[in-house]
Amino acid sequence: MTRKRRRVGRKKSVLVDTNLLLLFFVGAVNAGYVPKFKRTRKYSEQDYANLCRFLNGFDYIVTTPNILTEVSNLGGHLRGDYRWQFFNHIAMSAQVMQEKYRNSMECAASPMCNNFGLADTVAFSVAGNRHLLLTDDSALAKYAGARGVDVVHFKNV
């Protein structure tokens, strides 16, 4: 176990980026649908199981209004009962997640926003040294890690 891994292991909370939170919600509706849905087809049922196992190691999940909005918009492309179940799962989960807010105007003024967009800039700001940042974005993981943010790239989960 590396020093970084031990430090990360002591975090009580994890901030999950948009794509992985979408995977979490789609998989919760039906893990078999993960590789079939356009927005999650790069993942497998095993990826969903690995994500769940990883998240179970934390006391709570942190999110932002920006991430939840992106997840909701992407999941809105689901059809039939999957769509209803997806939105229902978001509504129930939002009640137990810790939602953190950062001013969009301030984050948009950051030079980081030009390279990563608003949602990732807000996620970086919220994670800081308080929450582990879980992402599947290699550039964001490298950027955050170089600035002292505890970050785990999903390929390492």
Side-chain angles (χ1 to χ4, degrees):
M1 182 181 291
T2 66
R3 191 174 122 214
K4 177 78 169 175
R5 196 66 154 140
R6 279 186 301 233
R7 194 171 86 218
V8 165
R10 287 192 293 240
K11 292 280 185 189
K12 292 183 176 185
S13 57
V14 58
L15 191 148
V16 182
D17 83 353
T18 300
N19 290 333
L20 296 175
L21 197 57
L22 179 66
L23 168 63
F24 180 68
F25 289 140
V26 171
V29 169
N30 182 336
Y33 198 63
V34 166
K36 297 174 185 170
F37 179 49
K38 177 183 178 181
R39 304 296 181 165
T40 57
R41 73 172 51 133
K42 71 179 182 177
Y43 302 108
S44 66
E45 289 181 56
Q46 186 60 52
D47 288 329
Y48 170 69
N50 291 342
L51 177 61
C52 289
R53 192 171 20 263
F54 183 80
L55 294 178
N56 280 336
F58 295 88
D59 293 341
Y60 57 95
I61 296 173
V62 174
T63 192
T64 70
N66 309 74
I67 291 171
L68 284 176
T69 299
E70 283 193 337
V71 168
S72 177
N73 288 340
L74 293 170
H77 296 279
L78 289 163
R79 301 276 185 241
D81 285 343
Y82 290 132
R83 181 183 166 103
W84 177 87
Q85 292 172 15
F86 175 83
F87 287 131
N88 190 48
H89 192 71
I90 287 180
M92 289 187 309
S93 296
Q95 295 176 29
V96 295
M97 291 180 174
Q98 284 199 0
E99 188 174 4
K100 304 290 183 177
Y101 171 79
R102 290 293 186 275
N103 184 291
S104 292
M105 188 166 56
E106 290 174 16
C107 288
S110 165
M112 180 185 173
C113 194
N114 293 333
N115 294 315
F116 294 98
L118 185 59
D120 285 347
T121 302
V122 170
F124 171 83
S125 174
V126 168
N129 62 6
R130 297 167 301 278
H131 314 289
L132 174 71
L133 175 59
L134 177 63
T135 184
D136 69 346
D137 182 329
S138 297
L140 178 60
K142 184 177 178 180
Y143 182 90
R147 285 152 184 80
V149 173
D150 284 334
V151 61
V152 170
H153 192 289
F154 185 62
K155 69 180 178 186
N156 298 321
V157 169

